[in-house]
Amino acid sequence: MAVKATVTFGNQFFTSRLEKVVGWARKYSIFQYPFVTACCGMEYMAVAAGHYDMDRFGAGLPRFSPRQSDVLFVVGTISHKIAPVLKTTYDQMCEPKWVVAFGVCTCTGGFYDDYATVMGIDTIIPVHLYIPGCPPRPETVLDGLIKLQERIQNERQELFHGS
Amino acid sequence: MAPDSLTLRKLKERFPGSVLAVHSYRGDDTAVVKGEDLVSVARFLKEDPELQYNFLMDLTAVDYLGQEPFDSPQRVVLGSAQEGIRFEVVYHFYSLPLNQRVRIKVPVPESDPTVDSVTGLWAGANWFEREVWDMFGIRFKGHPDLRRILLYDGFEGHPLQKDYPLRKRQPRIGPQV
């Protein structure tokens, strides 16, 4: 994309590639959808609450509708029974969208190698970031979030449908 | 060995042909009962004024695939007389007025894993029996709505059966390993 953006602040100005500006805006305004099913939810709450404060990284607004969110946080064990719900939730999100597998159950199934558990949510929906741990420490989650932001910044920004 | 409790004595007296074995271990009474007489035994336990087992605490099953069904610690063999006994369904009754418990076991053959439902006596048996159907594949005759309760329609097999493959993958998710 070769479109240039010019932003002026009083007498000063700087130029940038539009794609970079859009990436910058997107990575610091993550609206998340927490799909919380299990104990990892407590750790998610710890990251979101004041002490670790996800809001410092621009991911402070959990939306409780997938249609308003950018990043799907899948937090906790996904069973076969709830798998279609997760797929529907993912399908309802608007582009651009990213998926975070939070905790080892969502990454691989964890120690639940059994009849009821999905062996990693990437068997159902695409995953952009895996955060292992049982549950992951808040620092791990923040590290993962920063890595996701790098990815969002550096990927090709689709501005219009089909562009 | 201590003499049988009132419950076990009354059961043996009232149903001499149905009670296959009884034992008592540290105050826990157990009676093994023929499947076809389960409902009448349960009704007797519930309605007899000296017993009043009015609360069904638990209903579950055991799969004894590849071994004789036995009951520890005395190793009371449950199914040796009949060929093909594989499962047993276990009922725990509690008498709220008398503060007593009794355990009833029913041997179930592999060829026809069916037991009469006790939902007519305890409405609470409804979900227990659905769970046993879901996990063990034992049917309950007379149950008003025998569907899977924890798993979903389309699940293949009954996962708490001992011969359910450990690494089996279900068609909803797959792939087969």
Side-chain angles (χ1 to χ4, degrees), chain B residues 43-59:
Chain B
R43 177 173 289 115
F44 173 72
L45 288 171
K46 186 182 179 188
E47 293 174 357
D48 188 272
E50 284 184 300
L51 302 177
Q52 301 183 58
Y53 287 101
N54 54 357
F55 178 24
L56 173 66
M57 294 181 71
D58 192 19
L59 192 170

Side-chain angles (χ1 to χ4, degrees), chain A residues 135-146:
Chain A
R137 290 280 307 161
E139 294 88 338
T140 322
V141 181
L142 292 178
D143 184 50
L145 180 67
I146 293 166

Side-chain angles (χ1 to χ4, degrees), chain A residues 7-14:
Chain A
V7 185
T8 57
F9 298 102
N11 296 330
Q12 303 162 18
F13 68 93
F14 69 91

Side-chain angles (χ1 to χ4, degrees), chain B residues 87-113:
Chain B
F87 304 99
E88 72 183 17
V89 179
V90 187
Y91 300 80
H92 289 134
F93 297 118
Y94 179 57
S95 168
L96 283 163
L98 303 174
N99 187 24
Q100 292 182 96
R101 290 158 223 271
V102 67
R103 180 186 303 121
I104 302 293
K105 296 183 168 191
V106 175
V108 182
E110 183 173 12
S111 53
D112 177 28

